[in-house]
Amino acid sequence: MANISVRGRLALRAAAAASWASQKAGRGKGSMIGGLIALKIDPTIMTQLGRDRRTVLITGTNGKSTTTRMTTAALGTLGGAVATQADGANMDAGIVAALSLHPGVELAAIEVDELHLPHVCDALDPAAVVLLNLSRDQLDRVGEINMIERKLRAGLARHPDTVVIANCDDVLIASIAYDHPNVVWVSAGSGWAVDATSCPRSGEPIVWEGENWRSTGLEFQRPQPDWWLDGDDLCGPDGFRTPLQLALPGRANRGNAAQAVAAAVAMGAEAAKATDATGTVREIAGRYRTVTVGEHDARLLLAKNPAGWQEALSMIEPSSAGLVIAVNGQVPDGEDLSWLWDVRFEHFEGVQVVAAGERATDLAVRLTYAGVEHTLVPDPLRAIESCPAGHVEVLANYTAFRDLNRDLEARK
């Protein structure tokens, strides 16, 4: 903390006091309120906390928390601690809180909300930035997706020395990084191309030819990857190839792991050790864990936007005794649920589906039009209990997932 100004030290002391009071009052860990107070007292505190650190920033619409955990594990192979968020708080206050809790730690892996990436880059001057994917998410907060792409492109242009680890399979991500002088391209997959049917640079159609894509309007096409997945193996520069064995399910998480390894290697880690480390990540803030609810073993999955829902639905075990889908429409979720009509809910023959959450009726209408037989049980815990005994998949959006975890803790 030697490089923190007098004002900054005062800000951090006030933040620590506020966090302590929040914990004593039973209002959570207090990291957010602490970070907010620190920034109010000293708006430059993030920059001060970022000095003398080598930082990786991880952003994208989906997979930020998972990739941050994997990157943290991979960077841990370099020896020593890695500063990061324990709770996924990815806006300014959460970032300040995470950095302030790790004084003297030279490495950091920080999750950043995509809207905040440009000014967080300016504050922290990161050694590396991981760009995962970009698609529609909470239009009432985030706005139009091509506008976000342009803002991120302009923000990274101010940091030419930063290594950008970019997903070459995502058209919008490729556009952000295409002109950057220092890019590591990763073929991390793109299961959702709905938001990139036209070129973000020319407006002309994007043409797909197998795994490759190109713009019909100008010279803009899928870059050749430096890292890619081949079956069960992760492949990289100089003939590197090793099995990628993860504890987390899904094709998207394999892509997340590939980008985490590429980021760690760019920071000096050994590729084989970094790859093995990604396999130690088993749970992210309650996601993917299995809990016992009466006669049910319920696996909890989180999804927050059409692309994330489509990926999560692909992870559902077809032999499950039941599938509970819980949807809320609070401010953190986005109050506009029209995105439900962009998600393919078909193909659940043989699985008992239950619509749950505060907006269970909206979901039930969508399921009806999708031809999915279902029941309506708004309370997610009761919805799980209504399923036949055995393994139950639970897929919930942000506040429904949060509230379900709270209710599960209360039952202990």
Side-chain angles (χ1 to χ4, degrees):
M1 305 289 278
N3 292 325
I4 305 297
S5 68
V6 173
R7 187 184 185 94
R9 289 171 185 269
L10 173 63
L12 294 177
R13 282 197 292 270
S19 296
W20 177 85
S22 178
Q23 292 174 38
K24 287 296 182 183
R27 293 178 173 250
K29 297 179 181 178
S31 59
M32 289 297 292
I33 187 63
L36 287 168
I37 287 175
L39 285 163
K40 195 73 173 177
I41 295 172
D42 187 347
T44 71
I45 191 63
M46 188 189 300
T47 297
Q48 296 181 59
L49 290 169
R51 287 182 190 143
D52 302 322
R53 297 189 202 253
R54 298 177 64 223
T55 300
V56 181
L57 302 181
I58 298 96
T59 198
T61 307
N62 294 301
K64 294 186 290 292
S65 296
T66 300
T67 309
T68 300
R69 281 286 298 276
M70 288 179 169
T71 303
T72 301
L75 288 175
T77 64
L78 290 169
V82 180
T84 191
Q85 301 107 313
D87 54 5
N90 58 26
M91 299 185 191
D92 293 14
I95 294 168
V96 166
L99 294 174
S100 66
L101 289 172
H102 297 84
V105 174
E106 295 181 359
L107 287 174
I110 299 296
E111 174 184 342
V112 186
D113 178 87
E114 53 268 35
L115 280 179
H116 289 238
L117 182 70
H119 71 258
V120 172
C121 278
D122 293 342
L124 297 180
D125 192 21
V129 171
V130 178
L131 300 176
L132 298 170
N133 47 68
L134 201 59
S135 63
R136 278 171 295 145
D137 184 19
Q138 299 181 29
L139 292 177
D140 50 350
R141 178 182 74 89
V142 177
E144 192 268 328
I145 197 66
N146 282 356
M147 178 267 291
I148 302 300
E149 184 272 329
R150 290 190 294 271
K151 285 186 175 180
L152 296 188
R153 196 194 318 174
L156 284 180
R158 297 194 293 270
H159 299 273
D161 294 333
T162 295
V163 179
V164 177
I165 292 87
N167 180 4
C168 65
D169 296 326
D170 188 294
V171 174
L172 291 164
I173 290 296
S175 181
I176 293 167
Y178 207 67
D179 303 317
H180 198 275
N182 202 357
V183 185
V184 175
W185 294 106
V186 182
S187 177
S190 179
W192 182 267
V194 176
D195 296 311
T197 55
S198 62
C199 175
R201 295 176 168 230
S202 69
E204 297 300 316
I206 291 289
V207 174
W208 287 82
E209 297 164 343
E211 64 181 10
N212 294 307
W213 54 261
R214 60 179 174 83
S215 170
T216 56
L218 43 71
E219 286 297 319
F220 173 54
Q221 61 186 0
R222 178 181 181 264
Q224 285 297 113
D226 302 294
W227 295 84
W228 66 96
L229 296 162
D230 183 12
D232 293 331
D233 292 346
L234 174 62
C235 304
D238 302 319
F240 176 79
R241 176 186 283 265
T242 194
L244 178 62
Q245 299 175 328
L246 300 181
L248 300 181
R251 172 67 173 78
N253 281 327
R254 297 182 66 77
N256 293 337
Q259 291 197 254
V261 171
V265 170
M267 298 287 281
E270 293 182 26
K273 291 181 178 179
T275 304
D276 290 343
T278 63
T280 65
V281 177
R282 298 183 176 277
E283 180 183 319
I284 299 91
R287 305 171 201 179
Y288 306 109
R289 69 174 176 141
T290 299
V291 297
T292 301
V293 180
E295 297 180 326
H296 309 87
D297 293 322
R299 184 173 65 155
L300 309 184
L301 302 173
L302 172 69
K304 296 180 283 189
N305 48 62
W309 276 85
Q310 210 63 65
E311 181 60 37
L313 286 166
S314 73
M315 300 180 192
I316 301 301
E317 290 287 344
S319 60
S320 299
L323 167 61
V324 173
I325 306 175
V327 175
N328 286 357
Q330 299 179 24
V331 171
D333 307 303
E335 295 173 301
D336 177 6
L337 292 190
S338 60
W339 56 264
L340 283 170
W341 296 88
D342 294 328
V343 180
R344 289 183 55 82
F345 286 104
E346 291 80 1
H347 311 305
F348 289 115
E349 296 85 355
V351 179
Q352 180 170 320
V353 178
V354 187
E358 296 171 353
R359 302 291 287 273
T361 304
D362 297 78
L363 173 61
V365 172
R366 174 68 187 100
L367 292 174
T368 298
Y369 274 87
V372 177
E373 292 188 15
H374 62 278
T375 56
L376 179 63
V377 183
D379 181 83
L381 265 180
R382 292 183 182 275
I384 295 170
E385 292 167 344
S386 74
C387 294
H391 179 75
V392 175
E393 301 278 21
V394 182
L395 178 54
N397 69 347
Y398 180 75
T399 64
F401 185 88
R402 178 199 66 194
D403 295 348
L404 175 58
N405 275 283
R406 179 200 62 204
D407 294 342
L408 288 168
E409 288 298 316
R411 288 165 63 101
K412 291 183 178 179

